[in-house]
Amino acid sequence: MSTTMSMSMASFSPLTRISTTYSSLSKPHHHPNHSNNHFTLTLRPKNLPLLSLSPLRASAGTSDSAETAVKPPPENISVGTNGSASAVPVAEEVKVSSAFVDPRWVAGTWDLMQFRKNGTTDWDAVIDAEARRRKWLETNPESSSNDNPVVFDTSIVPWWAWIKRFHLPEAELLNGRAAMIGFFMTYLVDSLTGVGLVDQMNNFFCKTLLFVAVGGVLLIRKNEDVDTFKKLLEETTFYDKQWQATWQDENSSTSRKD
Amino acid sequence: MSSIALKSFLGLRISSPETPQFSYRPKPITHRRKFTVVAAATSPKIDGRNLRVAVIGGGPAGGAAAETLAKGGIETFLIERKMDNCKPCGGAIPLCMVGEFDLPLDIIDRRVTKMKMISPSNVAVDIGRTLKSHEYIGMVRREVLDDYLRNRAKENGANIINGLFLKMDIPKEKNAPYVLHYSSYDGKTGGVGEKTTLEVDVVIGADGANSRVAKSIDAGDYEYAIAFQERIKIPDDKMAYYEDLAEMYVGDDVSPDFYGWVFPKCDHVAVGTGTVTHKGDIKKFQLATRKRAEDKILGGKIIRVEAHPIPEHPRPRRLSGRVALVGDAAGYVTKCSGEGIYFAAKSGRMCAEAIVQGSANGKRMVEEGDLRKYLEKWDKTYWPTYKVLDILQKVFYRSNPAREAFVEMCADEYVQKMTFDSYLYKTVVPGSPLEDIKLAINTIGSLVRANALRREMDKLNV
């Protein structure tokens, strides 16, 4: 019973100290002599990104803020990968540039004033910036800090911006598919039965076909979706089946006990 | 509940002319097939002694069961292998447990009234604003809680045995006793225990996720998560931040299907994570969790590393003959939050109550039908809770966009109120329909936005 625990404890006994592994989750080896130093060192470098923000922001007050914003992240990535492969002195440098830095990212949220284009906020740029930030964080997870909390909420981007950017292209695609299918099916039915478009719309069977066609176009957008739906159906009832399992053998087990 | 009790006792009185026979008369088959069997009516009266019940495992489930049994006048044996066992456990108990189990307030180390949910992109949301001043999540040390419940059972007349359960002989005849084989450590200081046997009429398996009782009755397996936790002693100023706050970190880096946590304990914090599908990567997930909490646990020292399996769903068979499983052994851990202490204690109590009723306070032999009543009651009472949490896990722990949406939703006051009400009082409370519709729209909105961002992210650096 305790074997799981004792086994895991035995294998983890080397980890008696906290060690940091910056930007390399796949390499959990640590430097026993320097592990404590890592913590005191991190306090200092953390301030540097904030300092670097102000000079950058001063120069980026104009519309070329987008350009300067692009530069810091690629730099950070390259320094990071170099730093992780070498020893401790360079590791300090790694910590400096490992945080997400962007002149428009102020106090844990996007400064909408910096996204202005022709007098109104450029929501597309906000969405792009947030996507970039999340992508960055996925590959370089950062510690969540109380001093610099992230308070960005995607709902500040208005609903029509989302629709214009994401829904409309997809809607165009799907409507196109539905229209093509509809036209072809109408032609086919007409040539087979002689019933024209208007009369087809009055027919229940044709209306059902239309419903199926529209539904299919909406739900099945990629080939993989067919399998996804089959699995989804099974998934919704799986948990229920696990709970009912004990009732299934109520009759069989009691008759066995006799 | 009172109506069920009435039914069985009514049954006793109505058919009393034929019942006082304690020979092994074969029961009519028709009774067996019926769901709501009033078995006590035809079960034989025990001559000269009370019903003997063994509870294997002395955790919350075992302790609660033993106490209820002992109070009900049943001869109870509680077998626990390690009396000072320090279980690796989150240690969170809901408010209702304090009231329902009459827990003294001094076994609660901390009252957590604030929680912070942190999304994959480090958006941090504070929840707990809607809590009233008397509401909290209690953080306990398992060794303290388990000990208290066991002692209370002892005070009520249960026999506490320090021993390791080995195996059980299933009886061949109908009302023959179960023979338990265990290694007794009573009166011994270290070393191997003494092999002892014990004959009982009913067995309650409360021996946790790796239950041996479950193996003995062929209860089947369940999927389980590995929960890995490190107890870290952090400097006092950092500890002050966690005075009444617990954190939950979600993200693919922290766990693909669960969450990472920082829970405050008596004088240190427990930092951990868990997973079902990627058990081999648990160390990687733990490192990621520590990294995410890095600033707040800076300068800490790991004082203990522990891991434990957590069941994901009930075992296929929770009951066989006169053996019932409760707590983790049965698999009563919720999805999404991974909560098990309250459900363990409650199921232990419910099972014990069913035995007390079915045996008319220990005077009659019970049979499987009486124990099935406990399962019926349990499923009926808590099925909505389990199902809702399952749906939440399926929807919101799927992917990073879903987790981002989850954290965004948690910022909403209505969500917080509903979540805490259902967590603290263990009832799925129906809120106002208008708010529910607003919530549904907001949820869909959040999910759509997060997924749209994910599509943008995929376009970058591809």
Side-chain angles (χ1 to χ4, degrees):
Chain A
M1 212 194 298
S2 64
T3 46
T4 343
M5 225 171 92
S6 50
M7 250 165 51
S8 0
M9 283 195 66
S11 54
F12 299 144
S13 48
L15 286 173
T16 48
R17 301 196 224 185
I18 299 180
S19 56
T20 50
T21 52
Y22 266 91
S23 68
S24 51
L25 288 172
S26 53
K27 292 197 280 176
H29 67 268
H30 47 281
H31 315 284
N33 295 330
H34 304 292
S35 54
N36 288 327
N37 294 340
H38 282 191
F39 289 109
T40 49
L41 285 176
T42 45
L43 276 175
R44 277 187 283 119
K46 275 289 183 215
N47 293 326
L48 286 175
L50 282 175
L51 288 174
S52 61
L53 258 179
S54 29
L56 273 172
R57 207 194 324 171
S59 62
T62 56
S63 57
D64 58 353
S65 60
E67 287 170 27
T68 47
V70 174
K71 275 201 263 125
E75 270 171 23
N76 295 345
I77 297 172
S78 52
V79 177
T81 47
N82 284 337
S84 60
S86 52
V88 178
V90 189
E92 189 180 333
E93 233 178 87
V94 174
K95 292 181 189 70
V96 176
S97 47
S98 190
F100 176 74
V101 179
D102 188 303
R104 297 166 303 174
W105 179 257
V106 175
T109 186
W110 293 106
D111 181 10
L112 295 176
M113 286 294 118
Q114 296 189 45
F115 285 94
R116 296 197 84 79
K117 191 171 82 167
N118 306 332
T120 53
T121 334
D122 180 5
W123 295 112
D124 277 342
V126 177
I127 293 176
D128 279 330
E130 178 62 14
R132 199 169 282 125
R133 183 183 78 93
R134 290 191 183 184
K135 185 79 185 173
W136 167 258
L137 282 177
E138 241 181 42
T139 42
N140 309 287
E142 249 173 52
S143 153
S144 137
S145 130
N146 289 334
D147 304 318
N148 310 312
V150 174
V151 291
F152 177 68
D153 187 344
T154 52
S155 52
I156 59 166
V157 181
W159 60 273
W160 51 264
W162 296 99
I163 289 186
K164 211 171 86 171
R165 173 118 176 217
F166 295 105
H167 177 75
L168 292 184
E170 183 95 14
E172 196 182 333
L173 198 72
L174 296 179
N175 278 319
R177 283 185 195 162
M180 286 188 271
I181 294 175
F183 178 74
F184 180 71
M185 291 307 297
T186 313
Y187 187 85
L188 196 68
V189 171
D190 194 346
S191 62
L192 288 177
T193 60
V195 179
L197 176 63
V198 179
D199 294 323
Q200 276 183 41
M201 286 301 103
N202 285 331
N203 180 307
F204 178 72
F205 179 66
C206 292
K207 279 194 258 200
T208 316
L209 277 184
L210 176 68
F211 185 74
V212 168
V214 170
V217 160
L218 276 176
L219 294 175
I220 303 175
R221 304 190 190 184
K222 302 196 297 275
N223 284 341
E224 294 82 29
D225 284 345
V226 186
D227 285 321
T228 310
F229 282 118
K230 278 199 229 143
K231 274 197 272 169
L232 210 68
L233 202 62
E234 208 223 279
E235 216 184 273
T236 44
T237 51
F238 189 56
Y239 195 54
D240 308 34
K241 288 205 206 96
Q242 287 170 337
W243 271 79
Q244 301 301 334
T246 198
W247 295 106
Q248 244 107 52
D249 61 20
E250 187 222 359
N251 290 333
S252 53
S253 71
T254 47
S255 48
R256 251 192 291 124
K257 275 288 159 217
D258 244 333
Chain B
M1 189 185 124
S2 52
S3 57
I4 300 174
L6 220 49
K7 233 196 319 190
S8 59
F9 280 107
L10 222 47
L12 271 175
R13 282 189 208 121
I14 285 173
S15 45
S16 53
E18 14 167 355
T19 44
Q21 274 191 45
F22 38 88
S23 60
Y24 293 153
R25 177 181 63 168
K27 292 194 204 49
I29 307 289
T30 44
H31 275 249
R32 227 36 97 73
R33 294 280 150 78
K34 262 193 276 180
F35 228 96
T36 51
V37 90
V38 182
T42 52
S43 54
K45 213 161 146 54
I46 307 173
D47 199 20
R49 58 169 177 83
N50 272 357
L51 189 72
R52 298 164 301 187
V53 179
V55 180
I56 316 289
E67 182 193 347
T68 309
L69 288 171
K71 272 199 199 143
I74 298 193
E75 198 181 340
T76 318
F77 302 93
L78 175 68
I79 302 180
E80 164 61 42
R81 75 172 168 99
K82 194 163 186 287
M83 295 300 188
D84 55 351
N85 206 357
C86 178
K87 278 297 179 71
C89 182
I93 59 172
L95 187 65
C96 58
M97 184 163 177
V98 179
E100 280 178 37
F101 289 87
D102 298 312
L103 297 179
L105 293 175
D106 59 353
I107 66 173
I108 296 175
D109 289 333
R110 261 174 217 282
R111 299 181 193 199
V112 166
T113 50
K114 301 202 290 276
M115 272 198 72
K116 219 180 188 83
M117 308 266 310
I118 296 159
S119 81
S121 66
N122 279 340
V123 176
V125 162
D126 286 306
I127 59 181
R129 293 195 301 269
T130 54
L131 282 180
K132 302 192 196 66
S133 54
H134 66 277
E135 293 178 334
Y136 57 87
I137 302 173
M139 303 300 292
V140 301
R141 263 170 293 169
R142 277 291 302 280
E143 55 272 25
V144 173
L145 175 71
D146 296 356
D147 201 52
Y148 174 75
L149 290 173
R150 278 196 300 264
N151 283 338
R152 220 165 55 179
K154 189 157 158 192
E155 278 162 29
N156 281 301
N159 304 302
I160 314 286
I161 301 174
N162 186 359
L164 172 63
F165 172 76
L166 298 168
K167 64 183 175 79
M168 177 166 76
D169 295 334
I170 315 281
K172 303 279 184 300
E173 292 120 21
K174 204 162 62 69
N175 284 325
Y178 286 85
V179 181
L180 307 174
H181 298 263
Y182 66 96
S183 284
S184 169
Y185 299 135
D186 273 329
K188 294 193 153 298
T189 46
V192 186
E194 197 182 295
K195 280 219 173 28
T196 331
T197 57
L198 176 68
E199 279 191 3
V200 291
D201 303 305
V202 185
V203 180
I204 297 184
D207 45 346
N210 297 320
S211 171
R212 279 193 192 177
V213 175
K215 265 204 259 302
S216 310
I217 61 167
D218 250 333
D221 277 322
Y222 45 36
E223 267 148 38
Y224 61 94
I226 285 282
F228 184 85
Q229 177 168 270
E230 285 165 344
R231 299 192 186 221
I232 299 181
K233 186 118 177 62
I234 56 180
D236 287 333
D237 54 326
K238 301 237 179 272
M239 197 66 212
Y241 170 68
Y242 287 111
E243 181 65 36
D244 55 356
L245 176 130
E247 285 180 330
M248 256 177 71
Y249 293 88
V250 287
D252 269 333
D253 55 331
V254 160
S255 168
D257 51 7
F258 206 61
Y259 60 90
W261 63 83
V262 178
F263 287 162
K265 301 269 184 200
C266 46
D267 61 350
H268 56 274
V269 291
V271 179
T273 179
T275 174
V276 181
T277 49
H278 291 73
K279 296 193 183 71
D281 294 330
I282 189 74
K283 276 194 258 184
K284 193 174 85 163
F285 296 141
Q286 176 66 11
L287 282 169
T289 313
R290 270 207 257 120
K291 172 142 180 70
R292 293 263 234 120
E294 191 167 51
D295 280 2
K296 300 172 214 163
I297 58 173
L298 211 52
K301 264 201 2 222
I302 301 181
I303 53 179
R304 202 183 146 101
V305 177
E306 45 198 20
H308 203 69
I310 297 183
E312 284 290 295
H313 63 85
R315 288 190 197 262
R317 192 180 298 161
R318 292 176 262 157
L319 182 58
S320 175
R322 282 169 276 132
V323 182
L325 296 175
V326 295
D328 271 15
Y332 290 145
V333 178
T334 62
K335 293 221 168 174
C336 191
S337 59
E339 198 200 334
I341 302 183
Y342 173 76
F343 293 105
K346 199 70 203 260
S347 61
R349 177 179 277 192
M350 248 188 218
C351 185
E353 277 168 0
I355 295 177
V356 167
Q357 269 165 26
S359 72
N361 285 61
K363 300 286 175 287
R364 295 185 178 278
M365 179 63 82
V366 293
E367 56 157 29
E368 188 169 327
D370 301 307
L371 294 176
R372 282 221 173 254
K373 288 215 187 99
Y374 130 68
L375 280 187
E376 214 184 307
K377 186 166 170 215
W378 179 261
D379 283 3
K380 199 165 67 150
T381 321
Y382 292 113
W383 168 242
T385 308
Y386 280 94
K387 185 62 184 171
V388 165
L389 286 168
D390 176 52
I391 293 174
L392 283 178
Q393 164 146 335
K394 284 207 178 75
V395 172
F396 288 117
Y397 284 10
R398 273 201 120 78
S399 59
N400 268 356
R403 294 184 191 111
E404 295 277 356
F406 184 47
V407 173
E408 254 182 42
M409 290 319 303
C410 285
D412 183 55
E413 275 219 13
Y414 180 66
V415 172
Q416 291 186 25
K417 189 166 110 48
M418 299 298 296
T419 311
F420 273 113
D421 274 351
S422 55
Y423 174 81
L424 292 175
Y425 302 109
K426 290 290 168 279
T427 47
V428 181
V429 186
S432 81
L434 189 64
E435 295 279 343
D436 280 336
I437 294 174
K438 249 177 44 183
L439 175 62
I441 295 176
N442 283 337
T443 311
I444 295 173
S446 283
L447 282 168
V448 164
R449 289 195 297 264
N451 276 300
L453 272 170
R454 154 54 58 97
R455 268 182 281 157
E456 276 310 305
M457 282 160 66
D458 288 339
K459 286 196 214 147
L460 292 170
N461 306 338
V462 157

